[in-house]
Amino acid sequence: MNYQITIKKAYTVDEIEDYWTSDDYIKLLEKFDYPDAGDSDLATLKELLFMAISDFEPKDAAVIALEYKLSENLNEGQIQQVSNDMLLDKVCEEYPEIGLHATLFHVNQLLFKAYNGTFPNAKATIIECSFVPLEEESEMELTKENILKLLNNGLSGSNLIKRLFDLPMTENLPFPEAEDILWEVQSTDNSNFTIITSEYWLSKEDIIASEFEGILEIVLDVE
């Protein structure tokens, strides 16, 4: 299937708005020894949390935040190691399990802002784009894998995704890593999309064309 792809906007952010909820802030405040903040609005809760976090040593604060978000994914030793590494490197870009990159990014940026630095500053990329099939009679719901494959022709050859996953990006092969590379894909009409990923995987500088065509090959089950 042939698609016309249009990149409407691509920009970099250092936090994803609305990721942390009031409930998250209230629970974290309790863990940082600041209970009974439940009547405050979201902005006040965030400010209170930053104040509470700043009373802790950065490594200890990292352990608390990591335990809150990733206790089901990392054991105690792993959390201790990640909390150490976070002060030195962008763990949310380097951790070997890419399925944890998004959550590690959100934790890292919460701590980065709470300490006004101290932790490395990571970035995310938001892309607003459209995918329009050139064959009117054929329209399918696009998956993260489909979207990455369709973006291929508009990306620089130096892009990390293209370099690490050349075959699945260009051949009719499964690409399960796409589920973790793209953190969020939002669309209300299956044509216009907002894509969120790490700047590590896809920066706005990696996009070398605003309009281009892409081909999506679909494997048909043959009995």
Side-chain angles (χ1 to χ4, degrees):
M1 293 175 59
N2 294 324
Y3 280 79
Q4 177 67 34
I5 297 100
T6 303
I7 306 297
K8 302 175 182 178
K9 186 187 297 185
Y11 53 101
T12 302
V13 297
D14 62 3
E15 68 176 330
I16 306 301
E17 293 184 6
D18 302 326
Y19 174 80
W20 297 101
T21 66
S22 294
D23 187 55
D24 285 324
Y25 288 145
I26 291 168
K27 289 178 178 176
L28 280 167
L29 278 164
E30 291 175 354
K31 293 181 179 295
F32 283 99
D33 300 332
Y34 197 110
D36 305 321
D39 293 333
S40 304
D41 59 31
L42 185 65
T44 301
L45 286 170
K46 183 177 183 179
E47 184 178 342
L48 289 171
L49 178 59
F50 284 2
M51 291 173 57
I53 287 176
S54 65
D55 287 336
F56 286 71
E57 290 297 319
K59 181 187 180 301
D60 296 333
V63 169
I64 292 171
L66 288 166
E67 287 177 342
Y68 174 68
K69 291 300 296 183
L70 289 168
S71 60
E72 295 183 0
N73 304 93
L74 301 174
N75 61 38
E76 183 178 349
Q78 290 171 320
I79 287 175
Q80 291 290 334
Q81 184 63 56
V82 171
S83 68
N84 280 322
D85 295 342
M86 285 179 71
L87 287 161
L88 304 172
D89 301 304
K90 296 180 183 179
V91 177
C92 57
E93 297 177 354
E94 301 173 1
Y95 199 71
E97 293 182 41
I98 64 175
L100 300 184
H101 282 196
T103 305
L104 287 169
F105 168 83
H106 297 302
V107 171
N108 185 91
Q109 292 311 101
L110 180 77
L111 295 167
F112 170 80
K113 290 179 177 292
Y115 286 101
N116 194 28
T118 303
F119 291 83
N121 188 18
K123 301 290 182 65
T125 301
I126 300 179
I127 302 169
E128 296 177 10
C129 54
S130 65
F131 301 88
V132 178
L134 298 179
E135 297 88 2
E136 293 183 4
E137 71 279 1
S138 56
E139 184 173 351
M140 58 177 287
E141 185 173 348
L142 295 177
T143 65
K144 290 181 179 181
E145 177 178 329
N146 299 152
I147 288 170
L148 273 182
K149 287 173 181 280
L150 286 171
L151 287 175
N152 183 72
N153 289 344
L155 301 181
S156 164
S158 62
N159 170 255
L160 184 61
I161 304 170
K162 293 183 69 166
R163 288 191 285 115
L164 291 182
F165 303 102
D166 176 61
L167 285 178
M169 281 286 280
T170 57
E171 306 272 339
N172 192 14
L173 296 171
F175 191 8
E177 293 87 356
E179 287 296 317
D180 296 323
I181 291 173
L182 296 186
W183 296 349
E184 292 184 39
V185 172
Q186 304 165 356
S187 178
T188 57
D189 58 7
N190 199 43
S191 293
N192 297 286
F193 289 80
T194 298
I195 299 165
I196 303 176
T197 185
S198 172
E199 184 186 46
Y200 170 76
W201 288 114
L202 206 172
S203 71
K204 61 182 181 180
E205 288 77 17
D206 286 329
I207 300 171
I208 57 173
S210 58
E211 294 188 10
F212 52 95
E213 291 188 11
I215 299 175
L216 187 60
E217 298 182 25
I218 305 300
V219 178
L220 299 177
D221 293 329
V222 179
E223 294 184 359

